[in-house]
Amino acid sequence: MLVLFETPAGYSLFQVSDEKKLKKTDADDMYDKFFSNEDKAKSMLNLVSFQPFSDTADAVSAAAACIEGKVNKSLKSFLKKQLKKKGGESLAVADKALASSIKDKLSCSVVNDAKTTELFRGIRCYMDELMEAGDDEAGGVSGADLRCYAAWSFPFAFPLQAQVLCR
């Protein structure tokens, strides 16, 4: 199973290392079993790919599209490329509307349930460690890079995002 995660700096795609173990575990027990510490989180999820946003406008349009449950061009091309590499993998997506749009546009298996909610909770908790753990091909990004990019780009983006959301 692949997990799509959007950061302030770009799109991340994680691979669940032991899907059989994930299926056997109840959603209520997932956090304690897989994300109780950094080492467990790193053994459960591996960064497959990271695609940074090209600029602030791209980041704002991606955020607005995700809020509206739409798939923008950069997300669509990123997912097409990565899903082609991984074959028939299912994709975990946090937002139900976005999951539905991805399923319609890309004709792939999309998962959005209680277990995916716990996966995203674990990713948010250990985002810095998981992003740094990416291999060279995935383009591991340090948490400091993510925070610097977010601090630099988003203060200017919020007024524009507010205009988009008010329409």
Side-chain angles (χ1 to χ4, degrees), residues 143-165:
D145 290 341
L146 290 173
R147 286 188 295 277
C148 288
Y149 182 84
W152 175 80
S153 64
F154 280 98
F156 305 107
F158 280 8
L160 178 60
Q161 186 177 9
Q163 290 174 1
V164 170
L165 295 176

Side-chain angles (χ1 to χ4, degrees), residues 27-166:
D28 294 336
D29 300 328
M30 278 186 55
Y31 191 81
D32 293 333
K33 194 166 189 173
F34 301 123
F35 299 107
S36 59
N37 63 46
E38 176 184 331
D39 294 328
K40 286 184 178 182
K42 284 182 177 180
S43 68
M44 182 62 179
L45 293 165
N46 302 313
L47 180 65
V48 173
S49 183
F50 177 77
Q51 178 181 322
F53 295 125
S54 58
D55 57 16
T56 305
D58 187 29
V60 171
S61 69
C66 284
I67 290 169
E68 294 171 4
K70 297 179 180 175
V71 180
N72 68 358
K73 287 181 186 179
S74 62
L75 177 59
K76 186 176 180 179
S77 66
F78 173 67
L79 287 176
K80 272 187 176 180
K81 184 172 117 181
Q82 295 304 320
L83 292 173
K84 187 182 279 187
K85 284 182 185 177
K86 292 294 180 181
E89 293 271 351
S90 59
L91 179 68
V93 180
D95 184 64
K96 286 184 181 186
L98 183 60
S100 177
S101 294
I102 290 171
K103 187 175 183 178
D104 292 343
K105 295 242 184 202
L106 300 175
S107 302
C108 65
S109 173
V110 179
V111 181
N112 179 281
D113 57 16
K115 288 185 180 183
T116 59
T117 302
E118 291 301 312
L119 281 173
F120 285 101
R121 179 180 173 203
I123 292 171
R124 281 191 300 273
C125 186
Y126 294 105
M127 183 174 72
D128 290 353
E129 294 83 359
L130 291 170
M131 295 297 285
E132 290 172 352
D135 59 13
D136 294 335
E137 190 177 307
V141 178
S142 74
D145 290 341
L146 290 173
R147 286 188 295 277
C148 288
Y149 182 84
W152 175 80
S153 64
F154 280 98
F156 305 107
F158 280 8
L160 178 60
Q161 186 177 9
Q163 290 174 1
V164 170
L165 295 176
C166 292

